[in-house]
């Protein structure tokens, strides 16, 4: 007894408390152990049942290369599922107190990197392969087929622009940089038809598929497909974090290494700013780093983007889905986390080979909850390619200019890249030098513009926006040709109203509302 309180040694630590307090704590501890035991038992059963179901699917595939490939995919899925169960059983959550903003050594400034000497460019470029993440469909923009097939500028698609960039790079430097497309089962067949038109171009175009994983029933924790084919909605591509294992499983990783390739530049196919940069490539080669992530300064439009952090002594990618709800506002803070991940990544191929061979990959799992066509609740387990940064030696970020992040996720983005704000040369978009500001206008187009076909039908010609700061358009609005938008322009057509902006109009810091139609007499 000490001051009327009991001192109890628990794991070598003395815990003060009254007998009543201690009995209550003991009951709580017992309940926690009981719950943990229940969850671990449930997880063990779920893992065993899942393995049996996957084995049944494998047994339905005829002997040969097809079964071997399918077995690799199911083994990869099972490993991810077991990690998910373990994480769920232990209620593993991020310790926010351990989340630190990256120190000076973790983020290097692009402007401080030495430029590569012209005589050295060819040597370092010949060791490079470029990989575009091409697994997404254009459904969110109202299009059918791969998103990379959407026309974005002068009748050219995302893929056309990329091919032109790499072809020009090869011809100017007398090198052979291959272009690799990582497709999903959703985009593969259409992409193979599309790329036939590039035959005869000065470019080596290679493709491989990311894995096809079974969706999981949320209630039973069993795979949704009953056969290796199953219904289309029974399978999903497991996020771009699957890149490393899919690249290895395809045989392409070994093929690239045999050809003398040492470095891989990875980016999203819809990021029109993600061009080959020899300054960053040279830095990767000279610094000995195995992984470089391009980051750029956050704006209010980027607060949900993943960011680099230091966590328990290592560099990590932190996505908003991993943040406990109580700390989401902290995560979105521009003051605490000043940069975000562009998903432009420079990676050592030899390091990928080592990490795969040693089975070291253990990226944070993103649990994506969905509802299938029949209304059943399902789970998709996914990973992000940037989350692998913690496995690579010397990994760090490079803070790049904003022009290296030019994604087209919506028709509002499409409006910008189609306009006179950018100039197009050899497949590369650059800011028009006549633009007086470095910043890009903030554009918000309403639901009438959401689908590409509807968007295009509302413009006789893309407006001139070199002097634009902010544009908001909602409702039934159309634009004539040679319209000039400057400053802040807000156009609102209320329900039942229509606004036709006449050809040749100049709107400078204007709010337009109500009805406006000018018809030929």
């Amino acid at each position: 007894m000490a001051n009327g309180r009991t001192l109890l040694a628990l794991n070598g630590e003395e815990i003060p408390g009254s007998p009543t307090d201690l009995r209550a704590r003991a009951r709580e501890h017992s309940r926690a152990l009981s719950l943990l035991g229940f969850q671990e038992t449930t997880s063990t059963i779920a893992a065993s049942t899942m393995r049996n179901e996957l084995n049944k699917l494998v047994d339905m595939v005829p002997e040969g290369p097809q079964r071997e490939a399918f077995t690799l995919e199911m083994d990869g899925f099972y490993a991810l599922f077991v990690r998910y169960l373990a994480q769920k059983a232990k209620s593993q959550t991020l310790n926010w107190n351990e989340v630190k903003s990256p120190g000076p050594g973790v983020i290097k400034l692009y402007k401080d990197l030495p430029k590569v000497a012209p005589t050295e460019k060819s040597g370092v470029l010949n060791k490079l392969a470029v990989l575009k993440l091409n697994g997404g469909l254009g459904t969110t923009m109202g299009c059918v087929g791969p998103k990379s097939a959407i026309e974005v500028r002068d009748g050219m698609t995302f893929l056309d622009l990329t091919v032109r960039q790499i072809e020009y790079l090869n011809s100017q430097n007398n090198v052979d940089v291959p272009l690799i497309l990582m497709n999903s089962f959703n985009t593969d067949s259409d992409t193979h038809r599309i790329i036939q038109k590039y035959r005869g171009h000065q470019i080596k175009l290679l493709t491989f598929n990311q894995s096809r994983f079974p969706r999981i029933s949320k209630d039973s924790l069993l795979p949704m497909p009953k056969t290796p084919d199953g219904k289309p909605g029974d399978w999903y591509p497991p996020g771009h974090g699957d890149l490393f294992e899919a690249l290895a499983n395809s045989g392409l990783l070994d093929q690239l290494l045999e050809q003398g390739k040492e470095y891989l530049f990875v980016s999203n196919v819809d990021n029109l700013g993600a061009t080959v940069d020899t300054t960053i490539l040279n830095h990767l080669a000279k610094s000995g780093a195995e992984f470089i992530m391009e980051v750029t300064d956050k704006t209010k439009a980027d607060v949900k983007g993943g960011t680099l952090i230091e966590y328990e002594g290592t560099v990590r990618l932190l996505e908003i889905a991993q943040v406990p709800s109580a700390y989401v506002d902290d995560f979105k803070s521009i003051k605490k986390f000043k940069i975000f991940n562009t998903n432009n990544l420079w990676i050592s191929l030899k390091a990928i080979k080592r990490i795969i061979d040693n089975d070291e990959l253990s990226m944070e799992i993103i649990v994506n909850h969905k509802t299938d066509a029949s209304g059943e609740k399902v789970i998709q387990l996914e990973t992000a390619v940037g989350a692998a940064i913690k496995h690579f030696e010397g990994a760090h970020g490079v803070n790049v200019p904003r022009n290296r992040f030019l994604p087209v996720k919506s028709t509002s983005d499409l409006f910008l890249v189609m306009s006179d704000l950018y100039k197009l040369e050899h497949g590369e978009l650059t800011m028009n030098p006549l633009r007086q500001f470095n910043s890009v206008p903030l554009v918000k187009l309403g639901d009438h513009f959401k689908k590409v076909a509807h968007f295009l039908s509302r413009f006789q010609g893309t407006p001139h926006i070199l002097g634009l700061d902010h544009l908001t358009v909602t409702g039934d609005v159309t634009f004539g040709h040679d319209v000039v938008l400057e400053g802040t322009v807000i156009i609102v057509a209320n329900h039942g109203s229509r606004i036709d902006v006449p050809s040749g109009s100049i709107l400078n810091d204007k709010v337009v509302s109500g009805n406006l139609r000018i018809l030929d007499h």
Side-chain angles (χ1 to χ4, degrees), residues 229-262:
D229 295 327
K231 302 190 298 294
D234 287 345
W235 302 87
Y236 73 98
H240 40 58
D242 180 56
L243 181 154
F244 305 102
E245 290 179 321
L247 184 67
N249 291 345
S250 70
L252 193 51
L253 176 59
D254 287 337
Q255 183 182 325
L256 291 170
L257 289 168
E258 287 167 6
Q259 293 171 357
K261 303 302 178 185
E262 295 184 23

Side-chain angles (χ1 to χ4, degrees), residues 95 160 216 333 342 390 461:
N95 180 358
D160 291 337
I216 306 162
S333 168
T342 66
K390 64 183 180 181

Side-chain angles (χ1 to χ4, degrees), residues 80-356:
L80 188 65
F81 180 70
V82 170
R83 283 205 299 117
Y84 161 71
L85 291 176
Q87 181 177 295
K88 187 179 177 186
K90 294 177 182 177
S91 300
Q92 291 174 342
T93 56
L94 192 75
N95 180 358
W96 193 252
N97 293 327
E98 288 291 325
V99 174
K100 311 293 182 190
S101 297
V106 177
I107 307 291
K108 301 186 185 302
L109 299 179
Y110 178 83
K111 65 181 182 65
D112 293 339
L113 303 183
K115 302 295 182 184
V116 60
T119 54
E120 295 179 7
K121 273 190 179 181
S122 296
V124 73
L125 282 170
N126 266 325
K127 297 178 181 178
L128 179 69
V130 172
L131 189 151
K132 293 289 182 179
L133 302 171
N134 187 49
L137 295 169
T139 49
T140 56
M141 295 173 70
C143 297
V144 177
K147 186 176 182 181
S148 58
I150 296 175
E151 290 187 5
V152 288
R153 179 73 184 235
D154 298 353
M156 287 184 288
T157 66
F158 289 107
L159 203 49
D160 291 337
L161 294 173
T162 301
V163 168
R164 286 195 68 185
Q165 289 169 19
I166 303 299
E167 189 173 31
Y168 182 71
L169 178 78
N170 285 337
S171 63
Q172 286 298 105
N173 296 280
N174 193 27
V175 294
D176 183 22
V177 175
L179 173 61
I180 305 166
L181 303 178
M182 184 174 84
N183 302 330
S184 68
F185 63 88
N186 291 319
T187 63
D188 186 56
S189 59
D190 285 338
T191 298
H192 274 280
R193 283 196 295 271
I194 291 166
I195 63 177
Q196 299 304 313
K197 66 181 178 180
Y198 303 125
R199 287 181 175 178
H201 285 250
Q202 188 181 340
I203 189 169
K204 186 183 293 179
L205 192 51
L206 307 168
T207 70
F208 72 101
N209 271 18
Q210 66 184 113
S211 301
R212 186 183 67 137
F213 283 0
R215 279 178 158 176
I216 306 162
S217 167
K218 185 178 180 181
D219 293 331
S220 67
L221 291 182
L222 292 175
M224 293 296 292
K226 302 297 185 289
T227 67
D229 295 327
K231 302 190 298 294
D234 287 345
W235 302 87
Y236 73 98
H240 40 58
D242 180 56
L243 181 154
F244 305 102
E245 290 179 321
L247 184 67
N249 291 345
S250 70
L252 193 51
L253 176 59
D254 287 337
Q255 183 182 325
L256 291 170
L257 289 168
E258 287 167 6
Q259 293 171 357
K261 303 302 178 185
E262 295 184 23
Y263 311 113
L264 189 68
F265 174 44
V266 178
S267 63
N268 297 335
V269 75
D270 64 3
N271 181 4
L272 296 177
T275 57
V276 172
D277 186 293
T278 53
T279 297
I280 303 176
L281 174 59
N282 183 59
H283 172 65
L284 178 73
K286 293 289 177 65
S287 68
E290 295 181 342
F291 192 112
I292 289 175
M293 176 183 290
E294 290 186 42
V295 298
T296 196
D297 293 342
K298 262 189 183 181
T299 67
K300 289 182 179 178
D302 312 308
V303 293
K304 293 183 179 179
T307 188
L308 277 186
I309 61 169
E310 289 189 71
Y311 187 77
E312 296 179 342
T314 61
V315 182
R316 300 276 188 97
L317 174 66
L318 178 63
E319 300 279 6
I320 193 167
Q322 300 165 246
V323 179
S325 56
Y327 300 104
V328 167
D329 288 341
D330 284 356
F331 174 81
K332 292 180 178 180
S333 168
I334 295 177
K335 291 181 180 178
K336 183 169 184 177
F337 301 109
K338 299 178 181 179
I339 50 91
F340 73 97
N341 170 29
T342 66
N343 219 37
N344 299 346
L345 309 171
W346 302 79
I347 313 172
S348 161
L349 286 166
K350 291 178 181 176
I352 294 175
K353 174 71 172 172
R354 182 193 73 236
I355 287 168
I356 291 293

